[in-house]
Amino acid sequence: MIELEGVPELIDPVMVAAFEGWNDAGDAASTAVAHLEREWKGEVFAALDAEDYYDFQVNRPTVWLDGGVRRITWPTTRLSVVRVGGDKPRDLVLVRGIEPSMRWRSFCNELLGFAHELGVEMVVILGALLGDTPHTRPVPVSGVTSDPDLARRMELEETRYEGPTGIVGILQEACTHAGVPAVSLWAAVPHYVSQPPNPKATLALLNRLEDLIDLRIPLGELAEDARAWQLGVDQLASEDSEVAEYVQTLEEARDTAELPEASGEAIAREFERYLRRRDGGPGPGGPGALPGGPGHATDGGDGSYLRDTSSGRTRPPKPPRRGSEGAADGPQEGPADGPADSARGTSADGPRDPEAPGGPDEGPPPAQGPKDPKE
């Protein structure tokens, strides 16, 4: 039995998790959870034993100085809790770490043990994949689940994927078998600009999470960072005619595919999000509302999105020649469970299945360090 000291009884808690590695193109998913921790001042209450789950030759510890004293930070997965205030406050349990190197079943069982003790109502796992999507268009975000009833109730895709998977897919299935509602949200990151950070994909994930749990999320400077990121990529692409032509091809394919969806539910969701931000609370109840009704939240933090100044901007790699297999500089990551339409993680009309063969097994994206890529 897990003993939790200093953790109060939680109100309608939802667990939100993200893992660095194959599941995290452009560091978009892990940055989203880090943003929630920062904005709502999350308090860490537990950390998994690094010795049990990590190969330190793959995920190396780091040494740092604390007032002249050398200290070591070990790679692990940490859990924190945040309370979102308002007329009807609610709690989020945030899980942020690195995809484990071993003992995945024990890893998932330990997280589910915390979820059980804390009374978690639903688990939401964030991920990001590399795909054929232009940086100039809204980031496609797909929501998938293994639960048919949850898929119908919350208007999600029911997974039909078969093939290799990563920790996001394993954790989602573990939740399903344990009777815990679980959803995976996947953002598609342009494969030709895969280097982290990618604030535009992080913003898209947070917007989709906001719709899913009907909770207003303070964005700080994230929207401004997303615009600056897109302008930077625009400039880099304009310096290479071949890249610019390739981006234009992706734009045309994306625009053609989305014409039938230019109205209706997509516009309604954007309008509800606008109302929620204007009024400082949740919008009208919709398919994203949790059973029993979510809390009405207000902006609970004054922190700002921290730019990743350690990673320099690099020139986008050359796009693939037409007819070639693809040009992703690393793993084609994808939703732990989405419909597998092709070997690449996404298409111009949005993310396909991130676990499809020919994707993540090709190695981690450049500039992400020696991470073990896959969901």
Side-chain angles (χ1 to χ4, degrees), residues 115-200:
H116 175 73
E117 290 298 320
L118 295 169
V120 166
E121 296 181 347
M122 183 172 72
V123 175
V124 182
I125 315 166
L126 307 183
L129 59 101
L130 297 177
D132 296 324
T133 181
H135 72 278
T136 54
R137 297 294 184 265
V139 175
V141 178
S142 60
V144 295
T145 181
S146 300
D147 185 336
D149 293 333
L150 190 64
R152 287 191 296 270
R153 186 167 67 245
M154 306 189 79
E155 297 186 358
L156 302 167
E157 297 178 37
E158 185 181 351
T159 178
R160 290 286 185 267
Y161 172 72
E162 296 178 330
T165 188
I167 194 59
V168 170
I170 298 299
L171 179 57
Q172 180 169 317
E173 289 306 306
C175 291
T176 300
H177 289 299
V180 179
V183 176
S184 296
L185 300 180
W186 288 91
V189 172
H191 69 82
Y192 56 88
V193 57
S194 60
Q195 298 85 354
N198 189 319
K200 186 173 181 178

Side-chain angles (χ1 to χ4, degrees), residues 269-284:
R269 280 195 300 269
E270 287 300 318
F271 184 63
E272 287 185 9
R273 186 180 296 123
Y274 162 76
L275 291 178
R276 181 163 50 231
R277 294 202 172 281
R278 186 195 66 178
D279 299 336

Side-chain angles (χ1 to χ4, degrees), residues 60-61 151 199 205 215 236 264 276 292 306 322 354:
R60 293 187 177 272
L205 281 170
L215 191 67
L236 291 172
R276 181 163 50 231
L306 301 181
R322 288 175 186 169

Side-chain angles (χ1 to χ4, degrees), residues 22 130 161 164 325-328 330-333 342-345 353-363 374:
W22 198 5
L130 297 177
Y161 172 72
E325 277 295 306
Q332 316 258 328
E333 319 193 5
S342 77
R344 186 176 297 285
D353 197 294
E355 302 179 300
D361 291 329
E362 297 176 10
K374 180 53 186 156

Side-chain angles (χ1 to χ4, degrees), residues 255-317:
D255 293 345
T256 300
E258 289 192 344
L259 280 176
E261 301 178 7
S263 59
E265 291 186 8
I267 294 177
R269 280 195 300 269
E270 287 300 318
F271 184 63
E272 287 185 9
R273 186 180 296 123
Y274 162 76
L275 291 178
R276 181 163 50 231
R277 294 202 172 281
R278 186 195 66 178
D279 299 336
L290 290 176
H296 293 249
T298 59
D299 189 334
D302 57 358
S304 62
Y305 178 81
L306 301 181
R307 295 176 178 82
D308 186 353
T309 56
S310 63
S311 58
R313 193 174 64 199
T314 59
R315 186 182 185 85

Side-chain angles (χ1 to χ4, degrees), residues 202-289:
T202 295
L203 178 62
L205 281 170
L206 291 175
N207 281 336
R208 187 68 175 86
L209 176 65
E210 190 176 59
D211 293 339
L212 184 71
I213 62 178
D214 201 12
L215 191 67
R216 185 190 176 197
I217 296 175
L219 299 178
E221 297 180 12
L222 193 52
E224 179 183 343
D225 288 334
R227 286 191 292 270
W229 176 87
Q230 180 167 325
L231 289 174
V233 179
D234 284 343
Q235 181 178 353
L236 291 172
S238 66
E239 295 171 359
D240 189 313
S241 60
E242 195 172 0
V243 172
E245 181 182 356
Y246 179 62
V247 171
Q248 183 178 2
T249 301
L250 293 178
E251 290 173 339
E252 293 171 354
R254 173 76 177 275
D255 293 345
T256 300
E258 289 192 344
L259 280 176
E261 301 178 7
S263 59
E265 291 186 8
I267 294 177
R269 280 195 300 269
E270 287 300 318
F271 184 63
E272 287 185 9
R273 186 180 296 123
Y274 162 76
L275 291 178
R276 181 163 50 231
R277 294 202 172 281
R278 186 195 66 178
D279 299 336

